Amino acid sequence: MASVYAVAVVMVLFHVGALGVFFTGVSTATLVVAGTLYVIRGLGITAGYHRLLAHRSFKTSRPVQFLFALAGCLAVQGGPLWWVAHHRSHHRNTDLEGDVHSPVTRSFWHAHMGWMMSREAFQEKGANSRDLHRYPELKWLQRFYVPLIAGQAVLLYALGAALNALFPEWGTSGAQMLVWGLFLTTVVTWHITFAVNSVCHTWGRRPFETGDASTNNPVVGVLAYGEGWHNNHHMYPFSARHGLEWWQLDITWWLLRGLEKLHLVSELKLPKAYR
Ligand SMILES: [Zn+2]
Ligand SMILES: [Zn+2]
């Protein structure tokens, strides 16, 4: 139960911390750092945790896989093995009993973020992510997830304080860098990620009859770097591309295509009808 309270406390702290933006002011340096981290962490979740680790939608080298997973870790959504295990269980029991975050069997709030503050979020013993246990570097990320997040906080604070000492005219500070670079950006990414579980199983179009309530929601589609084309995703979970139509913006897919051209990823999986 300790973990349940810990998650609740962290979530409240981050939300309250994000309100710090009204007190710390802002500077160009802070916006650049926060914006860069925001994009890297988001893509760490979509391309790394989700399409690579959970669904094995493409192939890559161990170092690149590690960097994807590290970027995902920094988003404060749990370690990679925990995240993957629960996500796979969502696909196995979508919108049925056993789905830890379904707005159909439970409430919208439970699907959005309540489930992480319930016992269910800690019942998954990791059998669902067993295949990833052969990568000690992923187990390492899982084990040292909390110190990594703490380290991220300390480094951001130190960076802001150092910039303030070196370039006082830039108007940045340790607290400002921490609040924008960690609290605000993390909370925004949280709610966009969580919306895939709540909004994209509630509102939107369902071009495919998938036997669950998953939807394509254009707003979440764009904000979540392509993950909101969620009915497509439940139809073809293995696909590296979620926005299957040309007009379904899928930034994660663009990233993967770019990395493929640089020979950093390969064998991007696609449904037969969309090759
Ligand atoms: Zn889903
Ligand atoms: Zn998925």
Side-chain angles (χ1 to χ4, degrees), residues 221-267:
V222 172
L223 292 178
Y225 303 151
E227 304 274 296
W229 309 112
H230 198 58
N231 179 243
N232 294 356
H233 176 54
H234 273 280
M235 183 67 194
Y236 303 112
F238 60 85
S239 177
R241 182 176 186 177
H242 291 190
L244 295 172
E245 305 298 337
W246 66 268
W247 50 270
Q248 294 176 336
L249 185 69
D250 184 349
I251 301 281
T252 306
W253 169 246
W254 289 7
L255 169 78
L256 294 177
R257 289 282 286 165
L259 293 177
E260 187 185 36
K261 291 205 162 54
L262 297 172
H263 303 288
L264 289 170
V265 306
S266 61
E267 297 181 48

Side-chain angles (χ1 to χ4, degrees), residues 50 54-55 87 90-91 230 233 237 242:
H50 191 205
H55 293 292
H87 186 67
H90 165 65
H91 275 274
H230 198 58
H233 176 54
H242 291 190

